[in-house]
Structure formats: C-alpha cells, structure tokens
Amino acid sequence: MTLTGSGSAHDPPAGAIPRGTAAASGVRRHGPARRLDRPVALVTGASSGIGAATARRFAMDGWQLILSGRDRGRLERTASGTSAVVLPADLAAPGGPRLLAQSALHATGRIDVLVAGAGIGWAGPFAAMPHTDIDRVLALDLNATLHLVREVLPSMITARRGRVVLFGSMAGCLGVREEAVYSAAKAGLAVFAEALRQELRGTGVGVTFVVSGPVDTPFHARRGRRDGRSRLRQISPGSVACVVREAVRRGRDEVFVPDWLTLPARARALAPGLYRRLLYRFG
C-alpha cells in the first residue's frame, strides 16, 4: 500500500478505509459488544508489560479498549474477557502510525485517551552499537510515537476532549551510560510532551508524561541484557498502570513512579557537579 500527501487519520478520503488496515482485513473484538457511550482508550505496546497492565486497569473501570502491538496472540490474551478491539500493527513500519489511527477511529469512532506504550531498548557501549539498532530505537521510541500522536490528535481537538499519555524514563531525565540512544529518545519525548502541552492549552486535550524506574518486564532482557542497576528494586507493571489510570483521572501533567525519583532529577539541576561525581561512583 502507498500513502501520499500530508493528510492524517482524522481526514481520510471520504468512504475510504485503505486495504491492508486492520479495519479492512477484519477487526477482532472480544467479550461483550462494544458500547458507544463508553470512553475509548487506544493502548500501544499492549501485548505485554506496562501496556498490557494499563489496558487491564482501564478495562476494570469500564473503558472500551483498542489494543495494539506486534504479537496478535499476546494481544488477544490481554483482551480476554473484555470487549477490546485488537489491532496488531508495526508502528516502526512506513505508514504504520497512520494505518493504526485510521483503523482505530473506524472501529470506535473516537479516541479519548492514547496510551503510547510501545517501545524498545538497547544496552551496550555506543561505539559498538550497530547503525541499524540506532535507527530501530529512534524509529519506535521517538519517531513512531510522535507520528501516532500527530494522527490521533486532530480528532481529540475537534471533540475538545482527550489525553495523550507518553512514557519517559529516568534514562531520559539523567542520561544512563551504555543506554545513550535510549536516553536520547526518552529525553526527546520529555521535551515533546512539554512543548505539546503548551500548544494544547485551551483545547480540552491534555498530555501526561510518566517517568518510572526499572519495571519488572521482559523489556530489559530483550534489549540485550538484564538491568544492572541492582540497587533499584523493580516496580510491578500493575503499580505503574494504577498510577497511569489515576493520572488520567486527575488530569495530571507529569508523574514519577515511585515519587522519590523526582530527587535525582532535582539534584542534577541544582548541583550538576556533585550529581555527576555520585553518578560516576554509584551509577
């Protein structure tokens, strides 16, 4: 399929759902029939980890879910017992964010919350990082997220309601050695969230940025090695999901999980020299 022009999922050609999208090829729905009076959450990265836990938390509160990820089998396990719409997608593929947004809006007619949970990592010396992995991390963690927000945002602005949830990391706040590209991608998301939040003032649409410590998911193993920061106890995905749901309910701009993680960022801002000496010794 070829996409041309600069249109978004909010304004596709009249009557046209492109061949090859999930909406055209058969959307999978689970559980009871969807109800149009329920708020809708699109959750990416919903096949495992924080994305799956967040989806289940929203389902407990009666939300209509649209679940996306690359593994259909795992998505269907997340959707089990709910009325979720399952839309497998590769957001790093050309046109992937646009196709997902089109399919999601076609399936439910609205998106009240976008939980952009898809992401990957890579650990090791930057000088040894393959160029293809540099591109892969930036493509999914930063570029695809921005493109998906761009596709979903116009419908929220038109409805004058909605919230975008983006996930940062302490790596993006502080910079973590041997995670240089991942740190760069998450730092980019942090600044993007702040700039977008300013643009959206008065529109009824908000942006929540979630920063967490190490979470007990397969993420660390898939990036090439387990997390070596043993001094930090890993957080459960369910704990992060509860914070995300509460942040959306309260309309919070930024949350840290756990709360004390605000301290390293403050130390870096107030005493960068001392912060770096401590980081070199203990980081």
Side-chain angles (χ1 to χ4, degrees):
M1 174 187 173
T2 301
L3 294 176
T4 59
S6 59
S8 74
H10 184 57
D11 52 6
I17 293 296
R19 189 179 303 276
T21 66
S25 59
V27 173
R28 297 272 186 99
R29 292 191 176 89
H30 294 254
R34 66 186 176 95
R35 286 169 38 195
L36 298 178
D37 60 333
R38 292 191 296 172
V40 177
L42 168 58
V43 183
T44 68
S47 56
S48 65
I50 295 173
T54 301
R56 295 186 188 105
R57 186 65 187 81
F58 273 78
M60 288 172 59
D61 288 346
W63 283 59
Q64 172 65 49
L65 299 176
I66 308 170
L67 306 181
S68 186
R70 291 184 295 178
D71 189 317
R72 178 182 286 277
R74 289 182 177 179
L75 286 175
E76 290 181 346
R77 285 194 289 273
T78 302
S80 178
T82 75
S83 61
V85 177
V86 170
L87 296 175
D90 182 358
L91 292 177
R98 184 182 184 198
L99 294 178
L100 174 59
Q102 286 180 334
S103 298
L105 289 169
H106 177 74
T108 62
R110 60 191 272 195
I111 297 172
D112 297 289
V113 170
L114 167 63
V115 180
I120 56 174
W122 193 94
F126 177 67
M129 187 175 186
H131 291 280
T132 54
D133 286 330
I134 294 174
D135 293 340
R136 193 166 61 97
V137 171
L138 292 176
L140 183 58
D141 291 6
L142 184 59
N143 294 353
T145 300
L146 267 59
H147 282 291
L148 183 59
V149 173
R150 168 63 182 87
E151 296 297 340
V152 170
L153 202 56
S155 65
M156 291 182 175
I157 293 172
T158 298
R160 298 195 65 78
R161 66 171 183 269
R163 182 155 291 269
V164 174
V165 179
L166 302 174
F167 289 90
S169 168
M170 287 307 294
C173 296
L174 307 176
V176 173
R177 63 187 176 212
E178 299 197 349
E179 293 185 46
V181 177
Y182 179 74
S183 295
K186 291 302 184 179
L189 279 182
V191 177
F192 169 69
E194 183 59 46
L196 184 62
R197 190 179 296 119
Q198 295 176 43
E199 286 189 29
L200 294 175
R201 288 184 63 186
T203 67
V205 181
V207 180
T208 295
F209 192 64
V210 182
V211 180
S212 70
V215 182
D216 187 12
T217 73
F219 173 86
H220 300 292
R222 287 198 295 260
R223 70 182 184 161
R225 72 181 185 195
R226 296 295 300 177
D227 195 339
R229 287 164 286 172
S230 58
R231 296 178 184 86
L232 295 178
R233 188 174 66 178
Q234 291 191 332
I235 311 158
S236 72
S239 297
V240 180
C242 288
V243 171
V244 171
R245 178 67 190 96
E246 186 66 10
V248 169
R249 189 179 73 83
R250 292 175 174 268
R252 296 185 63 182
D253 290 341
E254 187 174 69
V255 290
F256 285 75
V257 191
D259 289 339
W260 66 262
L261 285 181
T262 59
L263 297 178
R266 291 175 182 173
R268 180 174 183 261
L270 295 174
L274 174 61
Y275 162 79
R276 289 192 182 94
R277 285 196 296 273
L278 293 172
L279 185 65
Y280 295 152
R281 182 174 180 183
F282 299 108

